[in-house]
Amino acid sequence: MNLKNKISVLIPTCDSYSNCWEGLGLSWEVLSGLDLNIYVISDNNKFNYEYKNIIPLSINKPDYTKYDFSNKLIYALDKIKTKYVLLMCDDMWPERSIKDIMPKFIKFMDNEQADCLRIHEKLHWWEYNFETSDKFIEGNRVLKMQQDSVWLLTHNAAIWNVEYLKSIMFPNEDPWNNEILGTERAKLKSHNQYHYNIRWYLQIHNFDRGNILPYGQAFIDDLRYKKQFNKEFDIWKKF
C-alpha cells in the first residue's frame, strides 16, 4: 500500500506558538517513521522547520483572530488531495513510530467506511462516550463512538475521511467552539466514528499554553542529538 496516496497529515499551529515548532518538526522527522505529506498551517508566518515531508501553509491574514481557526482548517483541507487526513495539534509530538500499524488503520477505514478513527490514548479528563465493537486491530478492540457522544469533532490525533470532516466544519470558529459546535453538527446525522486506544505521541508534560515545559525541552535536546548521530553514521533508511 502506498500510504502517501491514501493519507496526509494536517497540523494547525499559530504564530505565537512558534517556539514549539522545532520539537514538532524534530519528532516527525526523527521518530514518526512515516513518509507522508505533512501540512502545517499557521497564521501569517510559515512553519520554518526544514524537512522534506513538511508542506508549510499559512492563511496569510494580517488581522487574524482566534475565530479564524476553523477558516485555517477549511483552507488547508481544500489543499489536501488524499482521501484521509490525520489531524492533530502542534503540541502532540510523536515519540514512537506507527509506520507498521498505519496500513492497518487505513485498511480499517476502507473496510468499515469509517468517518473517523481516533488514534490516541484516552486520558481520564476526556469524556468520550463509547460502545463496544467486534472489530480488532493488532489484537486490540476498536471502540465505536456513540451517536450522541461528546467531542465527536476532536483535535486530538484522529484519521478522518476528508469529505466527512469538511461536512462538519463551519467558518469563523475558535478552536474550542469548533470542537463543541462541530460535535453538535456531527450528531445531526448518523456517523461512523471509532476510537483505537494507542499511545504514540506526547500528550502531556511537553508544552503548555505557549511554554515549553522542562520535559519538552529535554525531549528536544535528545532529538537534536539523535538527528545529528543518525546523520553522521547514515543510520536512517531512506524512504
Side-chain angles (χ1 to χ4, degrees), residues 8 26 30 33 61 65 77 89 111 189-190 194 196 215-216 235:
S8 306
L26 277 168
V30 177
K61 191 172 185 288
T65 72
L77 288 170
C89 297
N111 290 348
K189 54 190 285 189
S190 179
Y194 294 88
Y196 184 79
Y215 182 84
I235 289 174

Side-chain angles (χ1 to χ4, degrees), residues 11 20-34 38 47 49 51 54 88-98 200-202 206 216 219-220 222-224 226-227 236:
I11 303 171
C20 86
W21 291 358
E22 184 185 12
L24 176 62
L26 277 168
S27 59
W28 275 96
E29 180 179 8
V30 177
L31 297 178
S32 76
L34 292 172
I38 305 167
F47 187 75
Y49 184 90
Y51 173 45
I54 288 176
M88 56 196 299
C89 297
D90 54 2
D91 59 353
M92 298 173 180
W93 302 346
E95 58 181 343
R96 70 180 180 91
S97 174
I98 56 170
W200 63 278
Y201 63 88
L202 297 181
N206 58 312
F219 188 75
I220 290 172
D222 181 52
L223 290 187
R224 285 175 183 158
K226 279 185 171 62
K227 179 177 178 179
W236 279 326

Side-chain angles (χ1 to χ4, degrees), residues 135-182:
K135 314 298 181 186
F136 291 83
I137 299 175
E138 290 197 341
N140 294 317
R141 189 182 301 276
V142 181
L143 301 176
K144 197 169 192 307
M145 304 296 294
Q146 292 183 4
Q147 176 62 32
D148 61 349
S149 175
V150 293
W151 310 120
L152 289 173
L153 176 50
T154 178
H155 302 148
N156 288 316
I159 297 170
W160 295 88
N161 179 300
V162 170
E163 293 306 315
Y164 174 78
L165 182 56
K166 284 181 178 179
S167 76
I168 57 174
M169 282 289 165
F170 198 78
N172 306 322
E173 291 178 344
D174 63 25
W176 180 250
N177 280 312
N178 184 239
E179 288 186 305
I180 293 175
L181 300 179

Side-chain angles (χ1 to χ4, degrees), residues 52-201:
K52 67 180 182 65
N53 285 6
I54 288 176
I55 301 171
L57 300 172
S58 70
I59 199 169
N60 196 22
K61 191 172 185 288
D63 57 346
Y64 181 92
T65 72
K66 65 180 182 179
Y67 298 105
D68 285 302
F69 178 83
S70 63
N71 300 333
K72 189 160 58 178
L73 287 183
I74 292 168
Y75 175 83
L77 288 170
D78 284 339
K79 300 287 185 184
I80 291 173
K81 305 305 179 187
T82 51
K83 181 177 181 179
Y84 302 120
V85 64
L86 169 56
L87 174 65
M88 56 196 299
C89 297
D90 54 2
D91 59 353
M92 298 173 180
W93 302 346
E95 58 181 343
R96 70 180 180 91
S97 174
I98 56 170
K99 176 183 178 181
D100 292 337
I101 198 172
M102 181 58 80
K104 299 173 185 178
F105 291 153
I106 299 303
K107 183 178 180 181
F108 180 90
M109 293 289 293
D110 285 342
N111 290 348
E112 301 303 321
Q113 299 183 28
D115 297 316
C116 176
L117 174 63
R118 288 155 175 75
I119 52 169
H120 58 262
E121 187 175 45
K122 162 73 168 66
L123 299 180
H124 67 86
W125 58 84
W126 295 331
E127 299 296 330
Y128 292 157
N129 304 110
F130 301 122
E131 56 190 58
T132 191
S133 84
D134 60 356
K135 314 298 181 186
F136 291 83
I137 299 175
E138 290 197 341
N140 294 317
R141 189 182 301 276
V142 181
L143 301 176
K144 197 169 192 307
M145 304 296 294
Q146 292 183 4
Q147 176 62 32
D148 61 349
S149 175
V150 293
W151 310 120
L152 289 173
L153 176 50
T154 178
H155 302 148
N156 288 316
I159 297 170
W160 295 88
N161 179 300
V162 170
E163 293 306 315
Y164 174 78
L165 182 56
K166 284 181 178 179
S167 76
I168 57 174
M169 282 289 165
F170 198 78
N172 306 322
E173 291 178 344
D174 63 25
W176 180 250
N177 280 312
N178 184 239
E179 288 186 305
I180 293 175
L181 300 179
T183 293
E184 295 306 309
R185 291 188 288 269
K187 290 179 182 178
L188 294 176
K189 54 190 285 189
S190 179
H191 59 75
N192 201 22
Q193 295 198 32
Y194 294 88
H195 175 90
Y196 184 79
N197 214 52
I198 180 174
R199 186 176 187 126
W200 63 278
Y201 63 88

